[in-house]
């Protein structure tokens, strides 16, 4: 009797392969975003040593640039605990970048607002980052630079999706 061929192992289902590919894409994107943020922070501090404001504080300044907010509102918008936001605000108060204002709707609470120094700090931070990114983009080949720019609408939509607002602003 001739030898029987070894049984063929069961083939993975296409859905398992699709899931593996889906997770691999997400991991690659996570890795690139993490490296990009780290490289940007590091290069800014190297090229602009005066720029040492932690990202969490910058994000609060960016949120407050639109209008003064209560600590609870800031915490909600930043998706942080109120005590974390209070600590960050304390540092921004000490630096003179924000101040407390009476809330016209509720005198028992205060709203946090940017001072002129806070507005200037935010302008300086944005300009430093924009210059650094512009220089980095110019260092890319035209093909890579175009690919990065073409990816922006999809990345903006991804940010909206992650924020929970399918078509709202980032």
């Amino acid at each position: 009797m001739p030898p029987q061929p070894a049984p063929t192992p069961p083939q993975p289902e296409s859905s398992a392969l699709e899931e593996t590919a889906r997770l691999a894409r997400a991991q690659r994107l996570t890795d690139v975003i993490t490296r990009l943020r780290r490289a940007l922070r590091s290069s800014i501090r190297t090229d602009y040593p005066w720029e040492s404001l932690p990202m969490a504080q910058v994000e609060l300044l960016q949120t407050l640039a639109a209008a003064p907010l209560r600590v609870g509102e800031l915490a909600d918008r930043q998706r942080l605990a109120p005590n974390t936001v209070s600590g960050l605000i304390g540092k921004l108060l000490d630096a003179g970048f924000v101040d407390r204002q009476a809330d016209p709707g509720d005198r028992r609470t205060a709203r946090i607002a940017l001072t002129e120094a806070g507005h200037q700090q935010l302008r300086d931070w944005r300009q430093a980052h924009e210059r650094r990114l512009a220089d980095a983009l110019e260092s890319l080949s035209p093909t890579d630079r175009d690919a990065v720019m073409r990816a922006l609408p999809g990345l903006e939509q991804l940010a909206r999706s992650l924020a929970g607002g399918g078509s709202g602003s980032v």
Side-chain angles (χ1 to χ4, degrees), residues 48-62:
Y48 305 97
W50 50 265
E51 180 50 64
S52 61
L53 205 59
M55 209 47 219
Q57 291 180 24
V58 171
E59 289 170 355
L60 284 179
L61 293 178
Q62 290 172 326

Side-chain angles (χ1 to χ4, degrees), residues 4-6 13 19 34 55 58-59 66 68 70 94 96 99 103 129 138 141 146 156 158-159:
Q4 294 286 347
E13 296 180 22
E19 180 67 5
T34 300
M55 209 47 219
V58 171
E59 289 170 355
R70 289 185 218 117
D94 291 345
D99 62 13
D103 187 336
H129 278 70
E138 287 302 310
S141 70
D146 290 345
E156 289 170 342
L158 179 60

